[in-house]
Amino acid sequence: MDAGDGMLPCCVAGGGPAGLMLGYLLARAGVRVTVLEKHDDFLRDFRGDTIHPSTLTVLQDVGLLEAFLALPHQEIAELSGDVYGQPVTIADFRHLPAPRPFLVLIPQWDFLDFLAREAQRFPGFTLRMGTRASGVIEEGGRIVGVQVESREGRSELRAGLVVAADGRHSTLAPDAGLERVDTGAPIDVLWFRLPRDAAHDPARTGGTIRPGALLVTLNRDTYWQCAFVIPKGALEQVRQEGIAAFRERVARTTDFLADSVDALRGWDDVKLLNVQISHLRRWWREGLLCIGDAAHPMSPVGGVGINLAIQDAVAAANLLAEPLRQGSLRAEHLEAVQRRREWPARVTQRVQVAVQNEVLSPVLARSSAPARTPLAVTLLQRLPTLRRLPARLVGIGVRPERVRSGRAAS
Ligand SMILES: Cc1cc2nc3c(=O)[nH]c(=O)nc-3n(C[C@H](O)[C@H](O)[C@H](O)COP(=O)(O)OP(=O)(O)OC[C@H]3O[C@@H](n4cnc5c(N)ncnc54)[C@H](O)[C@@H]3O)c2cc1C
C-alpha cells in the first residue's frame, strides 16, 4: 500500500536508472511516489555498468557518494585504444571539473539495489517489484494512471502524474500516442564476457581497431566485458560463419584475448544489442511524462545512456517536486522538463551518429590498414590536452544537472 491519504501524486513505471533516481529524489523532497518494476529483481543481463563523473556529482549532491563508493567497484581514469597497432589514449578523465574525475565500473544491479535501498529510507517511497504497467488510463483527454499486472492479478493505479521510465522498448509512450522519430543506426553490437588473466592481461579499458573490426574491452578485473561492433543486421551472416570463425575474429582483433576466446562455447554466450537511436517528438501529455531511454534511446557509443537517464531524472525532480508536493502540477511543468533535457539528449545523439557514420562504419568497411596513421590518432598522441574533450563529453556531457529539489524535513 502507498503511504499517506488521497490520490497518489506520482507513479513511475520502470525501475531502471531514470525511474529509481526520480523516485529517490521525489521521495527525498517529500513527494509520495510509487515505482513499478516489472522484474522481480535487478539482476539481469549486462546493460551497461558505467557510472560517470556527472552521476557521481549527483550522488555527492544528495550525500550518497561515500556510501556508493564503499561498494565494490573499479575506477577508470582513462580510456585507451590500439588503432591499427598504434597505442593511443582516447580520453583522460583526470582533469574533469568533478569531485571524482573517473568512471566507476559497477554491475548495474548493484547500483539499482543501492538506489532502491536508499530511497526506501523515505516514508513516501514505495517500490513494487514484479509489477508491470501494462497500459495508460486516459480520462477526459488526460492520463490519470496505469493499468497494473502482478502476481496478485490486474488492477489500476491512479496518480496525478505517470512517469514512463520504461526504457528503450517503452510501451507506455506509444500507448499514450506519443510519436517516435527514428534516426536509425548503421551498427549492431555483440556483447560477451571472456575470462581475464590479471597476471598477464593488460590493465587498460578501451578498444582495438583493426581493418574491418572494432572490439571494446572493459576491464572487470576477473573478466573482460567485450563489445564487438558489426554492421547493422549482420548477425545472421556472422552466425552462419560459425562460432569458431567468430572466436578467431575476436582473437585476431585483440591478441591478448587469444588464450581466453575458447570460453565462448556457443551463440548463447553472445548477446545482440540492436542499436537504435530515436526520440519522442513530444515527451509529455497532460498527466504523463517520458524520461530516459523511453524518451530518447541512445547508441552505446560513449556509454552514456545511464548517465543521461540520471540527468533527466534530476531535471524532472528539480522542476516537478514542488508542484507535485503542492498539488499544483500543470502541463507547463512537463513541457519545461522536455525543454531542459531535449537539447542535451539530441546533441549527444548527433555526436553518436557522427561517430557511427564517420568512424565506425568506415572501419567496418576497410579490408586493409590505412597507409598512414589516422590524423585523429596522431593529434591525440601529440596533444594530451585534446584527450580532455572526449573525456568531458563522455564523463560530464552537455548541460550537466545539479540536484536542486530539496530534502523534506523528517
Ligand atoms: C547491452 C547494453 C549495454 C549498455 N552499456 C552502457 C554503458 O556501458 N553505459 C551506459 O551509460 N549505458 C549503457 N547502456 C544503455 C543504458 O543501459 C540505458 O541507456 C539506461 O539503462 C537507460 O535507463 P532507463 O532508466 O531510461 O531505462 P532502462 O535501464 O531500460 O530501465 C527501464 C526499466 O523499466 C522496466 N520496465 C520496462 N517496461 C516496464 C513496464 N511496462 N512496467 C514496469 N517496468 C517496466 C525494465 O525492466 C527496466 O528495469 C547499455 C545498454 C545495453 C542494452
Side-chain angles (χ1 to χ4, degrees):
M1 290 296 289
D2 303 309
D5 300 323
M7 157 90 94
L8 178 69
C10 182
C11 156
V12 178
L20 276 178
M21 180 55 87
L22 180 61
Y24 171 86
L25 290 171
L26 290 180
R28 177 177 178 271
V31 177
R32 255 184 331 121
V33 55
T34 293
V35 178
L36 310 175
E37 169 52 48
K38 68 178 178 182
H39 289 101
D40 290 321
D41 57 38
F42 298 119
L43 196 63
R44 264 163 280 145
D45 275 349
F46 174 72
R47 292 192 313 175
D49 287 353
T50 58
I51 300 298
H52 295 208
S54 59
T55 298
L56 298 178
T57 303
V58 168
L59 292 173
Q60 186 185 52
D61 284 349
V62 294
L64 291 182
L65 183 59
E66 297 310 323
F68 174 68
L69 291 176
L71 300 174
H73 69 277
Q74 289 160 273
E75 295 173 5
I76 308 292
E78 64 176 41
L79 299 177
S80 54
D82 169 336
V83 180
Y84 306 115
Q86 296 284 332
V88 59
T89 301
I90 299 161
D92 182 351
F93 298 102
R94 293 178 189 88
H95 306 277
L96 286 182
R100 303 300 164 105
F102 47 73
L103 298 190
V104 166
L105 290 182
I106 186 167
Q108 196 178 125
W109 49 85
D110 286 350
F111 175 60
L112 297 178
D113 267 336
F114 173 78
L115 273 184
R117 227 175 19 249
E118 292 297 330
Q120 269 150 349
R121 296 181 198 273
F122 300 113
F125 181 83
T126 304
L127 174 61
R128 289 169 59 176
M129 300 298 290
T131 306
R132 193 168 85 89
S134 53
V136 294
I137 305 170
E138 186 176 342
E139 278 175 10
R142 64 170 286 145
I143 306 301
V144 295
V146 284
Q147 279 134 11
V148 165
E149 286 176 16
S150 69
R151 246 175 252 105
E152 285 79 52
R154 289 172 186 223
S155 58
E156 289 189 346
L157 182 63
R158 289 181 174 251
L161 173 67
V162 172
V163 177
D166 53 341
R168 59 208 295 270
H169 303 295
S170 172
T171 52
L172 294 185
D175 197 40
L178 296 178
E179 187 194 347
R180 189 170 292 284
V181 182
D182 204 347
T183 307
I187 56 161
D188 284 330
V189 176
L190 302 179
W191 290 97
F192 50 91
R193 277 181 183 199
L194 291 175
R196 179 168 177 274
D197 177 352
H200 298 104
D201 286 354
R204 69 184 171 90
T205 276
T208 312
I209 290 181
R210 293 284 179 270
L214 194 162
L215 179 57
V216 174
T217 38
L218 305 182
N219 172 356
R220 302 309 316 274
D221 198 18
T222 55
Y223 64 92
W224 291 103
Q225 181 68 54
C226 304
F228 194 83
V229 182
I230 58 172
K232 184 90 196 150
L235 176 64
E236 221 20 70
Q237 192 196 330
V238 174
R239 286 175 72 121
Q240 273 171 15
E241 288 162 10
I243 192 75
F246 183 64
R247 282 197 290 258
E248 151 79 23
R249 269 181 88 182
V250 170
R252 230 184 310 127
T253 306
T254 305
D255 51 8
F256 61 79
L257 297 177
D259 291 337
S260 57
V261 280
D262 285 344
L264 285 180
R265 291 172 313 269
W267 294 112
D268 284 350
D269 296 332
V270 181
K271 301 273 182 286
L272 171 73
L273 171 61
N274 179 3
V275 176
Q276 52 161 299
I277 298 185
S278 67
H279 64 274
L280 294 179
R281 216 178 271 291
R282 207 168 120 171
W283 294 18
W284 61 277
R285 285 182 52 171
E286 274 205 60
L288 176 91
L289 172 70
C290 300
I291 61 169
D293 273 12
H296 48 74
M298 311 295 294
S299 158
V301 168
V304 292
I306 297 170
N307 298 280
L308 266 145
I310 298 277
Q311 298 282 304
D312 284 2
V314 173
N318 286 345
L319 290 159
L320 305 181
E322 201 46 33
L324 281 170
R325 233 157 45 86
Q326 309 261 346
S328 60
L329 186 76
R330 293 189 312 274
E332 297 93 274
H333 296 118
L334 306 179
E335 191 182 4
V337 177
Q338 175 169 0
R339 246 196 339 268
R340 173 93 198 154
R341 293 306 308 162
E342 185 174 26
W343 184 75
R346 298 295 303 284
V347 168
T348 311
Q349 288 184 330
R350 279 193 196 124
V351 173
Q352 292 182 322
V353 168
V355 172
Q356 287 175 174
N357 293 341
E358 307 304 326
V359 181
L360 306 188
S361 289
V363 163
L364 297 184
R366 285 201 86 92
S367 54
S368 60
R372 281 203 222 140
T373 306
L375 182 63
V377 173
T378 307
L379 291 175
L380 282 166
Q381 280 170 329
R382 294 208 183 138
L383 303 171
T385 46
L386 255 195
R387 303 167 190 164
R388 297 183 190 182
L389 181 65
R392 177 138 196 148
L393 270 174
V394 169
I396 295 187
V398 280
R399 194 182 276 164
E401 304 286 348
R402 301 298 298 261
V403 176
R404 285 187 288 105
S405 52
R407 181 178 181 135
S410 44

